Amino acid sequence: MQDILWSHRIRFILGEEDDGPPPPQLFTELDELLEVDGQEMEWKETARWIKFEEKVEKGGERWSKPHVATLSLHSLMELKTFIEKGTIVLDLEANSLPQIVEMITDSQIESGQLKADLKEKVTYTLLRKHRHQTKKSNLRSLADIGKTVSSASRIFSILRSCPSSSLILTESPLSAGSPTTTHRNLTSNSLSDFSDKPEKDQLKNKFMKKLPRDAEASNVLVGEVDFLETPFVAFVRLQQAVMLGALTEVPVPTRFLFVLLGPKGKAKSYHEIGRAIATLMSDEVFHDIAYKAKDRQDLLAGIEEFLDEVIVLPPGEWDPDIRIEPPKSLPSSDKRKNMYTGLEAPQMNGDTPHDTGHGGGGGHQVGEELQRTGKFCGGLILDVKRKLPFFASDFYDALNIQSLSAILFIYLGTVTNAITFGGLLGDATENMQGVLESFLGTALTGAVFCLLAGQPLTILSSTGPVLVFERLLFSFSKDNGFDYLEFRLWIGLWSAMFCLVLVATDASFLVQYFTRFTEEGFSALISFIFIYDAFKKMIKLAHYHPINTDYDPNLVTQYDCRCMPGAPDVPVNATLASLTKKQCMKYGGQLVGESCGYIPDITLMSFILFLGTYTCSMSLKKFKTSRFFPTRVRKLISDFAIILAILLFCGVDALVGVETPKLLVPSEFKPTSPLRGWFVPPFGGNPWWVYLAAALPAVVVTILIFMDQQITAVIVNRKEHKLKKGAGYHLDLFWVAILIVICSFMGLPWYVAATVISIAHIDSLKMETETSAPGEQPKFLGVREQRVTGIFVFILTGLSVFMAPILKFIPMPVLYGVFLYMGVASLNGVQFMDRLQLLLMPAKHQPDLIYLRHVPQRRIHLFTFIQALCLAFLWILKSTVAAIIFPVMVLALVAVRKGMDYVFSQHDLSYLDDVIPEKDKKKKEDEKKKKNKKKGSIDSEIEFVSKCPYAFKKERHDTVSLNGYRLVPHIKVIHEC
């Protein structure tokens, strides 16, 4: 019955509505009363907490590595006893430590827990000097030297934000009536030791940068004295957080104070109890309870909840001296809180598995942007209304150094892709479209799209199926005597019209049927294409510059190359041997000798640059989680990882001097083919019926554009990216249609969303918490949503024609390494890749993935096998002439996924994939669950009240009544059942 009582109490505490901000982060410090340097007793800092425990090592000059606090069950039970019997003062109005001490000692005297003649000694002890762990060795590491000293200015800004009264030691009105001179003398001596202002070591403490600006302190003071027979215990929460001078290591205002002074002989027990309350204050649930508690019983309920969640390790199976490393990702406390507030999320649709552990379900959220309005252009209008309020912030949100690194990284990837695609397009269309058209089209469409589209994080580019279509269309036009550019113009106009019809009819609502199965299949395929193309280009380069395998260092004396007369009638000239290779060939000479066929190892150097760029990019990107250098330096290196890798290997290439192939961009702004201009006339080149017949191939192009654009948009808008400004599926497709019209009239390639480059763009703009507790990994906050990076990327792409003298120094193998990095990086976090690895992994080595707990392994492997089979089929399809129907086959993945409903249970699919929506089935199911849960909660409360009528305050209420007993938020226990 007691368990029900405290669970109801916690439900009221955590469920209480509060209009104010959430409770701030707490910094907890444990000070113990110790003899320092053989002198009088002082308060010595021995441990501190934000999330994890840090101890002062026995040497006394360094902090331990952050670790999970391991507590003894006995210390928690003793703490509970002390809270039950000790002094509890909540919302105390005080401005100084002497004032607080005066009030709690008087309270104990009034309750008979402390003798009046001991007040002076207790006060003297509690106001002794505090010695903090801020002493540093004279020998500083490079990491310490590299740290910034800007934290001092931040500290002063925090001090300025605190009440001025908190920095002034005010005399307590209660101290005026001190009964004896000894009291005054002891207090004055103690006050001379205690500083009422922050010390220099506090102001210079760089630990401040680990705390958010609104952080508050919780001070724990424990120690043993020889004048007490029973423990002196007090738990204080101040009405307003107050700066208590030198009490805390860092100059943050104190909100909580826990004091435990006890008789001699139990120092170890007091130390463990101090660690117990400090660990409780760092626990998110108890932290919230401590801020909202109204009485002693609320705090006891919080301890009961903590004990209910504690896991005990048997002493014979675990060494308590071992420090447990902090986990890479902290489990969320929301599940514990929701259990009491009645907000626990339903688990059927797979959301809960995804949120509670790596590798669960999840996916895009079917929000209002994917709901069919039934009105003409209804979805488009809603997209505009949704995105318009964020238009201004899309520019000033980009004011960060991270945006610069994203611009340079995506620019190089976009330029490389434009050159590659432009070269292939030139070969396929006999230069009717070439590299310059690719540059101009990329710059024009990309800049307009990022400026006006609904999701500016999406990067437009050309795709493989578009290239296949262009090749087939050019061959068909050439064979039938059609004007290729005019025929292509009308196909583009028809496709744009079809896309606009899809926009007007809200056809993008079909996107909600693209589940994780479809998205990951498409995403993995495009990523594999990037990886395959990177190696394919390197192998092609190796064929063009073969490695000199015939070289024998032992025959170096025989290697020479001379220019000899090429024909019998050419007279032998004495100066012929001094001619260069080109001059020899010009005069009809012939090269003779073993070393004439020497080829420098261009291929070997190219592979060094290729793999070096990839490896360096991956390593530097992960550098933010390394142990070296301060956090700010690590983050800066990680943000500029790809740029640093490119610059490094461009320098290596220049230093070695091997003639590796370099980036080539057009140097003149004119059409690649002299047979065309910048405007394609719509009439005169083909028979009139061709304009109508163009609608047939336009249907294929429309499917291609819709599928490529919307699947990429779904991947970009996935909920794990934590985008806050909403999506714009209809608005994106609208601008893609308009840009197709413009490109068709100018004879430029057609562009849609590029999956891999868009994912790389998002990855380069991910934000993490700037302040994190020691041992805690920075939390992912979301993506820097803005329009500036995309706009600048495409402006630079257009200006690349004029930057040819600079870009010509970048080796192509370095850019192929960037391609490989983008392909591999875009596979990170793809559940399909995790499941592929499970096929080769023994069960004992498999990671603790959430779906492995709930789905049989054979079912997981079957799901993976079907997905891999579909991927292999798409790969084979895209490698043949039938690649033109590739988008239709991607659409067929939705049908395959629908068919899997008959193979797998909805329970299994909720962990492995998103559940396909069927009308309002999911919505009704969730509402039914909520109603049942709410009804069950009320029934249990009625049953409890009927069994234990005296457990609650009996009071009539007009609005909330349960059998005549009101469940008041702050329960006063009258009688225990």
Side-chain angles (χ1 to χ4, degrees), residues 99 116 130 135 157 178 210 218 336 418 506 663 838 852 977:
Q99 197 175 352
H130 287 256
K135 182 181 178 182
S157 67
S178 300
K210 297 291 184 181
S218 169
R336 285 169 62 192
D506 294 347
L663 180 65
L838 294 179
L852 283 174
C977 294

Side-chain angles (χ1 to χ4, degrees), residues 463-685:
T463 61
V466 171
L467 177 63
V468 173
F469 179 83
E470 296 280 12
R471 181 184 290 113
L472 293 175
L473 180 63
F474 182 81
S475 300
F476 180 81
S477 300
K478 187 176 180 180
D479 293 342
N480 291 276
F482 293 155
D483 186 318
Y484 161 68
L485 290 179
E486 185 184 293
F487 190 18
R488 181 179 178 277
L489 165 63
W490 281 96
I491 293 175
L493 294 177
W494 279 108
S495 296
M497 187 188 75
F498 292 153
C499 286
L500 291 175
V501 170
L502 294 176
V503 171
T505 56
D506 294 347
S508 293
F509 86 96
L510 296 170
V511 166
Q512 60 185 306
Y513 292 95
F514 298 161
T515 67
R516 179 186 285 271
F517 178 86
T518 307
E519 297 165 27
E520 288 192 344
F522 181 80
S523 176
L525 179 66
I526 302 301
S527 299
F528 287 150
I529 290 174
F530 260 66
I531 296 169
Y532 171 77
D533 284 347
F535 280 103
K536 182 180 178 181
K537 289 178 173 64
M538 289 302 300
I539 293 171
K540 185 177 180 181
L541 184 149
H543 285 304
Y544 191 76
H545 299 284
I547 295 176
N548 189 17
T549 56
D550 296 330
Y551 177 77
D552 187 352
N554 191 45
L555 303 178
V556 67
T557 55
Q558 302 177 20
Y559 289 158
D560 67 341
C561 183
R562 291 166 293 177
C563 181
M564 302 296 291
D569 55 342
V570 177
V572 177
N573 194 331
T575 61
L576 202 61
S578 62
L579 296 179
T580 64
K581 178 181 177 180
K582 289 185 179 180
Q583 291 172 336
C584 180
M585 304 304 292
K586 179 180 178 181
Y587 293 117
Q590 189 175 11
L591 297 175
V592 178
E594 292 291 333
S595 66
C596 291
Y598 171 75
I599 300 173
D601 286 335
I602 292 175
T603 297
L604 183 61
M605 187 62 197
S606 297
F607 270 96
I608 291 173
L609 296 176
F610 170 68
L611 296 175
T613 302
Y614 165 74
T615 306
C616 187
S617 298
M618 293 294 285
S619 301
L620 291 179
K621 197 67 180 175
K622 297 176 182 177
F623 194 75
K624 62 184 175 185
T625 59
S626 75
R627 301 168 186 256
F628 305 103
F629 298 108
T631 305
R632 196 169 297 179
V633 176
R634 295 200 306 266
K635 188 175 185 303
L636 198 64
I637 291 174
S638 177
D639 287 342
F640 285 86
I642 292 86
I643 304 305
L644 291 173
I646 290 172
L647 292 176
L648 175 62
F649 283 94
C650 284
V652 169
D653 177 73
L655 188 65
V656 175
V658 175
E659 291 295 324
T660 52
K662 301 295 191 294
L663 180 65
L664 297 176
V665 296
S667 55
E668 294 181 325
F669 189 76
K670 63 179 183 180
T672 306
S673 172
L675 302 177
R676 56 157 294 183
W678 285 120
F679 179 78
V680 178
F683 302 105

Side-chain angles (χ1 to χ4, degrees), residues 852-876:
L852 283 174
R853 296 184 183 185
H854 299 275
V855 183
Q857 191 164 323
R858 65 181 184 278
R859 307 295 291 172
I860 296 174
H861 291 337
L862 176 61
F863 188 90
T864 306
F865 176 75
I866 295 173
Q867 200 169 10
L869 201 64
C870 293
L871 190 63
F873 176 75
L874 289 176
W875 181 276
I876 295 170

Side-chain angles (χ1 to χ4, degrees), residues 274-285:
R275 290 183 60 243
I277 184 64
T279 304
L280 274 166
M281 297 305 294
S282 65
D283 177 70
E284 288 188 31
V285 176

Side-chain angles (χ1 to χ4, degrees), residues 204-254:
K204 294 179 180 179
N205 196 340
K206 297 180 178 65
F207 192 74
M208 276 298 295
K209 67 181 182 180
K210 297 291 184 181
L211 296 169
R213 289 185 179 274
D214 63 344
E216 296 177 352
S218 169
N219 293 95
V220 179
L221 308 178
V222 299
E224 57 178 6
V225 291
D226 55 7
F227 57 82
L228 287 176
E229 296 178 0
T230 58
F232 175 93
V233 181
F235 181 89
V236 179
R237 183 182 69 202
L238 299 178
Q239 177 73 36
Q240 296 293 332
V242 176
M243 191 73 67
L244 297 180
L247 180 64
T248 311
E249 174 196 353
V250 285
V252 294
T254 295

Side-chain angles (χ1 to χ4, degrees), residues 810-860:
I810 302 178
M812 287 303 295
V814 169
L815 297 180
Y816 296 154
V818 175
F819 259 49
L820 179 62
Y821 167 80
M822 287 195 293
V824 174
S826 61
L827 291 174
N828 289 337
V830 175
Q831 189 199 89
F832 172 63
M833 298 305 299
D834 295 336
R835 287 188 273 103
L836 276 180
Q837 295 176 38
L838 294 179
L839 294 170
L840 308 174
M841 203 177 294
K844 63 181 179 179
H845 296 306
Q846 291 176 353
D848 186 22
L849 301 171
I850 191 68
Y851 48 81
L852 283 174
R853 296 184 183 185
H854 299 275
V855 183
Q857 191 164 323
R858 65 181 184 278
R859 307 295 291 172
I860 296 174

